[in-house]
Amino acid sequence: CSPDRPTETPTCYCPVDELLDVVSREHALEIVGLLANDGPRRHSEIAEALDVSSSSVLSNRLRELSELGVLERRSYDCVPPRVEYSLTDSGRAFERRLQPLLEWATTDHPTVDPE
């Protein structure tokens, strides 16, 4: 991690900073979940399934997840042009690792009292 951190720090989470930054953005985890459950989808199918109102936000998320290696963007040479997004092996591994976090968040995490 950082040189100013003590060397006896048992765990450094710095390597996941970029991943957490991207997946915490609007629609990112929903995209991962949708593609994990339903398989490859086109931009318009993802937008419809997630009820995304901003095409540019969705395009940014798809690009960011692709750059991280979580998604694969596959173009098909046909008329009209067709592009599909699917999870990569790394994306499927990431989604499997989300399952215990989901379980913790929905069953073990203490609820916050609004008062």
Side-chain angles (χ1 to χ4, degrees):
C1 282
S2 172
D4 55 338
R5 295 180 98 174
T7 56
E8 59 273 353
T9 302
T11 305
C12 175
Y13 295 105
C14 299
V16 297
D17 280 349
E18 182 181 6
L19 174 66
L20 291 178
D21 180 48
V22 172
V23 299
S24 66
R25 294 177 187 166
E26 185 178 22
H27 304 300
L29 289 176
E30 292 173 295
I31 292 167
V32 171
L34 175 70
L35 297 178
N37 291 326
D38 297 346
R41 293 286 177 254
R42 297 173 73 169
H43 184 284
S44 60
E45 294 170 328
I46 296 169
E48 184 179 326
L50 302 181
D51 196 26
V52 176
S53 58
S54 171
S55 181
S56 64
V57 168
L58 180 57
S59 294
N60 286 339
R61 255 354 57 81
L62 292 168
R63 180 183 43 76
E64 292 163 348
L65 290 167
S66 295
E67 288 173 357
L68 274 176
V70 173
L71 298 185
E72 176 184 17
R73 180 185 188 273
R74 180 171 286 167
S75 299
Y76 295 90
D77 290 330
C78 58
V79 177
R82 187 176 103 209
V83 175
E84 286 184 346
Y85 294 89
S86 60
L87 292 180
T88 61
D89 289 343
S90 179
R92 283 189 291 282
F94 172 66
E95 191 275 332
R96 284 191 305 275
R97 286 169 173 83
L98 285 174
Q99 294 302 317
L101 182 60
L102 176 61
E103 183 179 324
W104 172 78
T106 57
T107 61
D108 298 337
H109 188 268
T111 58
V112 178
D113 188 77
E115 294 182 77

